[in-house]
Amino acid sequence: MGGMAEGDHGSGIGSFVAIGDSFTEGLYDPGPDDRFRGWADRVADVLAGRHPGFRYANLAIRGKLLDEVLAEQLPRAVEMAPDLVSLAAGGNDILRGSDVDTLAAHFEPGVAKLQAAGCRVVIFTGFDPRVFPVIRWLRGRIAAYNMHLRGIADDYGCDLVDLWSMRVLNDTRAWSPDRLHLAAEGHRRVALRTCEVLGIPVTGDWRAPLPPARGGNQERWLAARRQDARWAREYAMPWVRRRVGGASSGDGLAPKRPELLTLSPGEVGQDLF
């Protein structure tokens, strides 16, 4: 695959714990048993096919803020002491107006704790939201947070998956209708990029363009305006009501895979790539 790191740096990953929010939980990537799958499950499935006895846990829960991830999920990941931990959080905080400098100051000790436990750590920048009306007003703050994350990755020598630079994700077809979560194709591309960063050989290229969009310019423009109206009605207003009421989409939910248990190849879904 183009851009693959030299050598198989993923050969020593016999266990993996994923922590974070809806991005890592895998919302809008349907898998078996009516459960969401997502990029982390897809990467875990590749590793399970390469390492007999591979173990995997996914502690991520939608709606979690960074401090909640650090307080509730990170200590459990440290206890499990896996070979690899993924940490992706802060997006929900930015949506709520949190200061990105403060977020980075909290994020950094989390990386240090995981590395002190002997874990390899992979972190993720935020996406570029420029393709979506309304959401794109967050673009500058996400970019500033990303610079902090790149600095943390440099200082601690951890792996960094740069989602901002994934131009293929500028296609709205990679996203679910709520414009905050990836669709199945988006999760597939992120999984491929993550494998590349970790040095895990896979078949497929996350850079490959999506097929040309159907319809003429006017037809696509009208479809986009209909989607804007649907988004405001079905997603934006319910989100505002939850914020006003102090509720979170993850309230009362438990992690989908709370224990570091053996994962059989194909257990989280077939034909992931």
Side-chain angles (χ1 to χ4, degrees):
M1 185 173 70
M4 178 65 67
E6 292 184 6
D8 183 358
H9 301 296
S11 60
I13 303 175
S15 53
F16 171 31
V17 174
I19 64 176
D21 52 29
S22 55
F23 166 67
T24 302
E25 184 186 348
L27 260 63
Y28 298 104
D29 183 12
D33 302 324
D34 296 321
R35 186 179 69 179
F36 289 125
R37 184 169 52 186
W39 70 266
D41 283 13
R42 291 169 176 267
V43 171
D45 188 75
V46 173
L47 289 167
R50 297 171 56 80
H51 303 282
F54 173 80
R55 296 177 299 149
Y56 172 54
N58 190 318
L59 310 182
I61 297 176
R62 69 197 72 172
K64 289 296 182 181
L65 302 175
L66 173 62
D67 283 348
E68 292 174 324
V69 172
L70 298 177
E72 300 166 10
Q73 300 175 25
L74 189 141
R76 182 61 180 141
V78 169
E79 290 175 3
M80 293 177 178
D83 297 322
L84 174 69
V85 176
S86 66
L87 171 58
N92 290 318
D93 301 79
I94 292 175
L95 283 171
R96 297 188 183 196
S98 297
D99 178 73
V100 296
D101 297 334
T102 301
L103 288 177
H106 291 191
F107 194 101
E108 183 172 351
V111 172
K113 289 177 182 177
L114 291 169
Q115 288 194 332
C119 305
R120 180 178 178 181
V121 182
V122 57
I123 65 176
F124 298 76
T125 70
F127 300 100
D128 183 352
R130 69 183 176 88
V131 295
F132 293 121
V134 182
I135 301 298
R136 63 180 171 225
W137 68 272
L138 297 171
R139 196 178 187 217
R141 298 179 64 240
I142 295 171
Y145 186 50
N146 287 350
M147 293 307 295
H148 281 299
L149 296 177
R150 292 186 183 102
I152 291 170
D154 286 343
D155 288 344
Y156 289 85
C158 55
D159 296 290
L160 176 72
V161 180
D162 187 359
L163 303 177
W164 182 281
S165 68
M166 293 182 65
R167 295 181 183 178
V168 69
L169 298 181
N170 291 337
D171 191 312
T172 57
R173 290 173 292 175
W175 294 86
S176 69
D178 73 356
R179 303 178 176 179
L180 293 175
H181 301 98
L182 294 169
E185 180 62 17
H187 280 286
R188 188 180 77 87
R189 299 301 180 114
V190 171
L192 286 168
R193 181 74 185 269
T194 303
C195 285
E196 177 182 283
V197 168
L198 296 175
I200 304 167
V202 290
T203 300
D205 188 349
W206 61 266
R207 300 169 182 82
L210 274 67
R214 297 180 178 179
N217 291 336
Q218 183 175 6
E219 182 180 350
R220 291 199 296 270
W221 186 90
L222 291 171
R225 300 296 74 76
R226 289 193 294 268
Q227 291 168 2
D228 289 345
R230 177 188 175 192
W231 174 80
R233 181 178 64 254
E234 298 184 11
Y235 300 102
M237 292 310 298
W239 184 88
V240 171
R241 286 195 291 269
R242 286 198 302 272
R243 295 290 75 75
V244 172
S248 168
S249 58
D251 287 346
L253 295 181
K256 66 180 182 181
R257 194 177 176 91
E259 303 296 333
L260 188 59
L261 300 176
T262 302
L263 180 72
S264 302
E267 182 178 332
V268 293
Q270 298 290 338
D271 301 324
L272 299 186
F273 294 137

